[in-house]
Amino acid sequence: MRVKKNCILPLLLLLFFMSESVLHAQSREGSAFDQSKFVPDIAFIIDVSGVARDMADQKYTSLTIPGFGFPFLNQPSSSGLNAHRGMNFNYGELSLYSVVDPYFDLFAVIGLAPEGAGLEEAYFTTRKLPYGFKVKIGKFLASFGRVNEQHEHYWDFANRPLIATALFGEEGLNEIGAQMTWVAPTPFFLVFGAEVLNGLNEQSFGNLGFSDLTGGVAINAVQGPNVYIGFVRSSFDLEDASILFGISNAMGTSRNDQGYSSGLGNAIDVNTDIVGGELTVKYSLDAIRFVSLQSEYMYRMMNGTEYTDDGASTMVVPARTLGKHHSGFYVQAAAMIDQLWEIGVRYDLLMQNEVSLGGVDQQMPSNLPRYSAMIEYSPTEFSRLRLQVDRDESRFVQVSGKLSRQPYTQIIVQANLTIGAHGAHAF
Amino acid sequence: MKILKIIPLVLLCIQTAFTGRLQVVATYGYIGDIVQHIGKDRVDLVVLARGDYNPHIIIPKPSFIAKMRRADLLVINGGQLEIGWLPQIIKQANNGAVQPGERGFLDLSMHVHLIDVPTSVSRELGDVHPEGNPHFFLDPDNIPAIAKAITERLSELDPENQIFYETNNKEFYGLWQQHMKVWEEKLKPLKGEKIVEYHKIFDYFLHRFGFVIAGTIEPLPGIPPTTKHIADIEKLIEREHVKLLFQDVYNPQDASSYLAKRLNIKLIVLPHDVGAVKEADDVFSVFNEIIRRITQ
């Protein structure tokens, strides 16, 4: 959860709502202009965890998944969930929801951390468009596949599936833009959607322009929307099983610069095309118990040009063609075994990892797995404790230009609690 | 070959979508049954939740979205009984007609008097409903008010059939009053009887017929029984001379059967909705069956 050093907005909001309700309580007559009944649904969620890991924090936060990131290596991230051994404050999440008027709904999620706050999502949706259409505008989690659109606390596991992290980073594909959906008037569920997004997600997209110091190379920044998403999802029931499946496609430009314009580093200008397939099956055994199976597959193709400035030569280093093919999937099974306990297992695999630069294969490691198992105890729907074990064999460190695999095992004890008016979750 | 099975279904549904009949979605079986009694063959009805499942916890299947998408009228229980599963279905259905506040959205809890409205609300007290106990359907005296609200709304949305709906409501009302007399007669001997129930789901029924609720097996609404609470209830049953233990069909019966065996009292599993047990296939038979099971 990325945080920006701006905690003024949520604090002001909180103070506003609190002072309104205090005023309300003081006097009936004085409340002639009271608007406290219009306070939106407010909920606050915190997520904390204790982590035991057979690897020092310093090393863990320098781990990378080779090949997937810019230009080849994922940026080591220390801001992910459960990053440190011992206690982690993963996030606080303040959510606000209300009807705006008969025509719009508004929803906002503010991510809070000890260092500050950041606007995670804020968007409005239409309520009354005819013929099954709906428009959503603002900043939101893209509806690419299943897990990307969900907030962390809805997941069955304490961390994002590996392929989703590898393609979209720890924060997922979260962009400013617009979405339109159409629910077909069919007897079975069928929805079509399209999104137009700014596309700043560095892992797969980017709109930065760059130029060589000598002026030999000049690539303009992408103006306007940079990523286009289309998705279709459908569902049907077989007895007590609900089956939801769909495909998503995200296309855009990845234009990024790391030091190239200032004379030492790389830049890329590539076209990215990502295809995802999803399947969820939930089978009710009785009124309380159910088993669920969830899987997503993603394939990414990137084609374009890579630019290098080694900082030494005064000549422009010739641009090289850059081609990447990546794929991976996860499959997870979970079972609600009684009113309080849920168990689950997950298998993650990064399959293809092909990177070619100037027509030369970069020999990236492929078939990188992670294994996870969890057991969850939920005294009520507002509190949840989870024990998860991960064995991750997908991460590497780069030592003097050579990649070396760094498998690790971790145990996560996670607590997730919600107060206030929190909206119901979707399927 | 499942796809092949779906094709005739698709054709059928496309056909019904153009019949001009009012498309009604009801959240629970009892609502659907009352709609059916009033609307008969002039409405197309879909019921979402299964009658034998916990009405608070329904899996929000995507197939519900498809049903909601085509609805002209959504009838809900309200009182926050659907809060955990329905709001997302409405949001995702992209159907302006059934948004809360529209004429295509009917909240039945607005048409009856709710009991046990808490003076203060805290989740320390379990799964409390700020508007009061939402299981009002189980007071048979509330059924005519519910039927009236449904009749009025159907008439408003489909004025051509207003007389048809009103006639059916009158007929339903007469039939209901006849049954009420029989039920009251049958339960008269049990007036003042002390009982323990699993969840506060039968309160309306029990109040209506003069039972005394001595306690619940759940320590707090929605919280499964703890060993300590079961021991407390055991003492209470002995102290208060409780002889009957009522349980719904969907919660685990371990604690109830343990107490029933140990204290030699009667555990009676009761339907809470249409479809909860196979005998309860409409609103009349829900109450017939509850009373048959209590009195036999």
Side-chain angles (χ1 to χ4, degrees), chain A residues 331-346:
Chain A
V331 54
Q332 66 185 51
M336 193 83 195
I337 51 178
D338 69 13
Q339 207 174 336
L340 303 173
W341 294 91
E342 187 172 356
I343 53 171
V345 289
R346 180 179 66 187

Side-chain angles (χ1 to χ4, degrees), chain B residues 66-279:
Chain B
K67 289 164 181 161
M68 198 71 79
R69 158 72 171 87
R70 291 169 296 139
D72 302 308
L73 172 63
L74 165 66
V75 190
I76 74 162
N77 182 91
Q80 301 213 347
L81 189 56
E82 292 101 341
I83 192 102
W85 62 277
L86 191 65
Q88 276 298 330
I89 299 292
I90 299 176
K91 282 199 186 97
Q92 290 181 294
N94 295 12
N95 180 353
V98 297
Q99 297 290 328
E102 298 298 320
R103 300 314 291 164
F105 178 88
L106 175 60
D107 178 348
L108 296 175
S109 69
M110 299 292 166
H111 297 267
V112 293
H113 175 72
L114 266 58
I115 61 169
D116 299 338
V117 180
T119 45
S120 72
V121 179
S122 165
R123 289 196 180 125
E124 193 183 17
L125 305 172
D127 185 16
V128 288
H129 298 278
E131 280 84 23
N133 186 324
H135 307 291
F136 53 80
F137 148 65
L138 289 163
D139 179 351
D141 252 0
N142 281 335
I143 300 293
I146 293 170
K148 182 164 170 274
I150 290 172
T151 304
E152 283 169 358
R153 194 59 66 88
L154 286 177
S155 305
E156 188 186 330
L157 295 177
D158 180 20
E160 272 178 33
N161 285 313
Q162 180 167 1
I163 292 166
F164 177 77
Y165 298 138
E166 281 170 357
T167 312
N168 293 342
N169 184 39
K170 237 172 246 160
E171 189 188 321
F172 178 77
Y173 182 81
L175 211 56
W176 194 258
Q177 295 308 323
Q178 284 174 25
H179 278 77
M180 272 302 283
K181 283 201 193 95
V182 178
W183 294 331
E184 273 169 353
E185 208 53 46
K186 281 190 178 164
L187 287 175
K188 219 174 239 169
L190 288 171
K191 206 165 183 177
E193 187 78 22
K194 285 178 180 163
I195 67 99
V196 163
E197 60 178 335
Y198 185 93
H199 175 75
K200 293 175 79 61
I201 191 167
F202 298 109
D203 286 34
Y204 284 88
F205 180 87
L206 299 167
H207 286 309
R208 178 68 190 73
F209 293 104
F211 289 88
V212 176
I213 304 161
T216 58
I217 291 175
E218 281 181 337
L220 294 166
I223 309 277
T226 54
T227 324
K228 182 185 175 299
H229 185 71
I230 292 172
D232 289 348
I233 286 289
E234 192 176 330
K235 277 184 219 135
L236 177 133
I237 289 172
E238 285 185 320
R239 191 175 64 235
E240 302 278 331
H241 307 291
V242 173
K243 289 190 199 66
L244 295 172
L245 225 165
F246 293 161
Q247 161 105 40
D248 51 72
V249 295
Y250 54 84
N251 274 305
Q253 291 172 17
D254 316 359
S256 306
S257 22
Y258 165 82
L259 286 169
K261 265 197 206 110
R262 192 173 159 87
L263 304 171
N264 198 26
I265 60 172
K266 212 161 141 195
L267 166 62
I268 306 173
V269 176
L270 300 176
H272 66 282
D273 195 1
V274 171
V277 298
K278 68 174 190 309
E279 295 91 342

Side-chain angles (χ1 to χ4, degrees), chain B residues 1-8:
Chain B
M1 290 296 100
K2 298 286 182 206
I3 291 293
L4 290 181
K5 280 188 196 166
I6 290 168
I7 291 168

Side-chain angles (χ1 to χ4, degrees), chain A residues 58 71 277:
Chain A
Q58 214 180 358

Side-chain angles (χ1 to χ4, degrees), chain A residues 5-24:
Chain A
K5 290 205 167 36
N6 170 20
C7 49
I8 297 164
L9 170 70
L11 273 177
L12 279 179
L13 280 169
L14 262 184
L15 278 173
F16 170 73
F17 297 129
M18 281 161 67
S19 60
E20 282 290 315
S21 36
V22 170
L23 281 175
H24 178 62

Side-chain angles (χ1 to χ4, degrees), chain A residues 69-73 75 202 208-212 217 219 254-270 305-311 317-322 324 355 357 362 398:
Chain A
F70 168 92
F72 318 121
L73 298 182
Q75 300 310 305
E202 285 177 8
L208 292 176
F210 51 86
S211 58
D212 182 68
V217 172
I219 305 287
S254 177
R255 216 166 269 183
N256 276 310
D257 180 13
Q258 274 181 10
Y260 181 74
S261 294
S262 45
L264 177 62
N266 317 68
I268 57 167
D269 175 21
V270 301
T305 313
E306 188 265 356
Y307 302 86
T308 305
D309 193 330
D310 58 13
V317 179
R320 294 177 286 184
T321 57
L322 176 63
K324 290 191 183 194
V355 178
L357 192 59
Q362 298 298 301
Q398 197 173 25

Side-chain angles (χ1 to χ4, degrees), chain B residues 14-23 41-44 72 157-158 160-161 165:
Chain B
I14 289 173
Q15 191 193 339
T16 56
F18 292 103
T19 53
R21 282 195 295 257
L22 210 60
Q23 307 286 314
D41 59 345
R42 300 201 187 165
V43 298
D44 285 325
D72 302 308
L157 295 177
D158 180 20
E160 272 178 33
N161 285 313
Y165 298 138

